[in-house]
Amino acid sequence: MPVYRIESPVLLITCCIFGILPLAACDNDASWNTVELLQPDAMHVAARSEAKRGRAHPAAPMERIPYGQDGAEYELTFSEEFDDYDSRIWNDHIWYEAPNRTRNYAVENGLLKIWPERDASGNFFNRTIDTDGKFSQTYGYFEMEAKLPRGKGTWPAFWLFAHHGKRRPEIDIMEAYAGGAPPWGFKDGDGVVRPRAYGVTVWHDKGHEAGRRQYDTRSDLSARFHKYAMKWEPNRQTFYFDGKTIMTIDVSMSEPMYLLLDLWFGSDSGKPDDSTPQGKANAYQVNYVRAWQFRLVPRKEE
């Protein structure tokens, strides 16, 4: 699918005059404002109303504003409400891996579900759902509402990433390691590990970390849905949990990045085993993923 990428100020202004791009992209300091958007027809598909499929809590597009933010400051650019799985918007594996044929994801009842499963070799395997080559954005507000899986080894995440040449900038909005040392997780009455804390991390490039925080929510993140979000400004990133600021870092990053949702295994969460619940009943459930551009883009500080 073609993607619009506008880096020339003259072309950007021309596109805005003729209505090709939303006014959020028409900043008078446009030389650093790179925008990559889906074609309008694909955006329409991604922004369908939940009410069309009988969702329990329909939300009209005009109501889709960043949680806890002033909606007048933002323009919606991406809204996936998961009425179905649209391969024009999503890939089902990360760019450097071949897809695993064992099916461990689905869209049901307005939710994307990714669950722990063993493949034909008997091993748990990573699953990544991303918009690489189909949607990316520089700056704005990014938000997901999700309920996390439980079990040793589970490592769900919501992040932004890019692979421009040899560079690997990355923004981890949420990574949870249920099987890690407290407070990452705790064992329930059945001895199954449940997630309690999650991490946020910013990488200028592979191996060059700009900042991180482990946030202890003091709640069971697999028990109900929560909102994980990040506001990305030219010289600052602010991270939110259910609308509460949990970390602010002054960092300058300007390369467009795409969206990723994944359920991987290992790292600080340990190796999954027979105690790790498999199947849809233990899915990483995503209610929606949304992105907004600033209507007036904050100026980049010199």
Side-chain angles (χ1 to χ4, degrees), residues 16-265:
C16 292
I17 291 173
F18 288 96
I20 297 174
L21 292 177
L23 291 178
C26 305
D27 180 66
N28 57 8
D29 185 17
S31 60
W32 51 266
N33 186 26
T34 300
V35 179
E36 294 187 1
L37 298 175
L38 290 170
Q39 284 187 298
D41 61 336
M43 283 294 296
H44 175 74
V45 169
R48 298 180 295 270
S49 170
E50 299 105 297
K52 190 172 70 174
R53 295 292 182 94
R55 293 288 297 276
H57 302 287
M62 67 182 65
E63 296 173 341
R64 292 175 187 156
I65 62 176
Y67 185 73
Q69 302 288 311
D70 182 355
E73 297 179 359
Y74 298 93
E75 182 81 23
L76 187 68
T77 54
F78 184 92
S79 180
E80 175 58 276
E81 311 301 319
F82 293 112
D83 294 316
D84 56 24
Y85 179 81
D86 194 334
S87 60
R88 293 176 296 174
I89 299 171
W90 299 101
N91 308 303
D92 70 356
H93 62 287
I94 200 163
W95 63 283
Y96 56 81
E97 291 182 349
N100 193 302
R101 293 186 177 182
T102 301
R103 187 81 172 189
N104 71 325
Y105 71 95
V107 171
E108 297 179 344
N109 301 318
L111 299 170
L112 169 66
K113 300 179 180 180
I114 312 173
W115 57 88
E117 196 74 70
R118 295 182 187 271
D119 62 15
S121 68
N123 297 315
F124 288 91
F125 61 95
N126 297 338
R127 174 67 67 186
T128 302
I129 307 293
D130 68 41
T131 65
D132 187 9
K134 300 176 180 181
F135 173 86
S136 61
Q137 182 170 301
T138 305
Y139 311 131
Y141 198 94
F142 303 81
E143 181 178 289
M144 170 192 73
E145 184 176 74
K147 182 164 65 173
L148 307 188
R150 62 194 189 281
K152 182 181 178 183
T154 55
W155 178 16
F158 169 42
W159 47 307
L160 308 182
F161 185 64
H163 46 96
H164 304 296
K166 295 183 178 181
R167 285 188 47 73
R168 301 291 183 266
E170 179 178 333
I171 304 171
D172 301 322
I173 300 172
M174 184 283 294
E175 289 184 292
Y177 306 93
W184 285 121
F186 66 96
K187 288 187 178 181
D188 62 19
D190 296 323
V192 177
V193 179
R194 292 175 176 265
R196 169 176 151 171
Y198 73 95
V200 299
T201 314
V202 179
W203 301 87
H204 276 298
D205 197 357
K206 183 177 181 180
H208 297 279
E209 182 183 312
R212 69 167 58 213
R213 183 187 175 185
Q214 180 192 58
Y215 180 66
D216 184 1
T217 69
R218 302 183 184 276
S219 61
D220 179 1
L221 298 175
S222 68
R224 66 183 185 88
F225 286 86
H226 294 277
K227 295 177 174 64
Y228 305 86
M230 184 270 298
K231 179 166 64 175
W232 177 9
E233 300 172 271
N235 293 95
R236 177 174 298 169
Q237 292 173 8
T238 307
F239 295 82
Y240 302 88
F241 175 71
D242 287 340
K244 175 185 176 182
T245 301
I246 64 168
M247 186 178 86
T248 297
I249 178 172
D250 294 330
V251 56
S252 179
M253 300 177 73
S254 59
E255 292 163 294
M257 301 190 200
Y258 60 89
L259 310 172
L260 300 95
L261 304 166
D262 71 57
L263 178 58
W264 292 2
F265 298 89

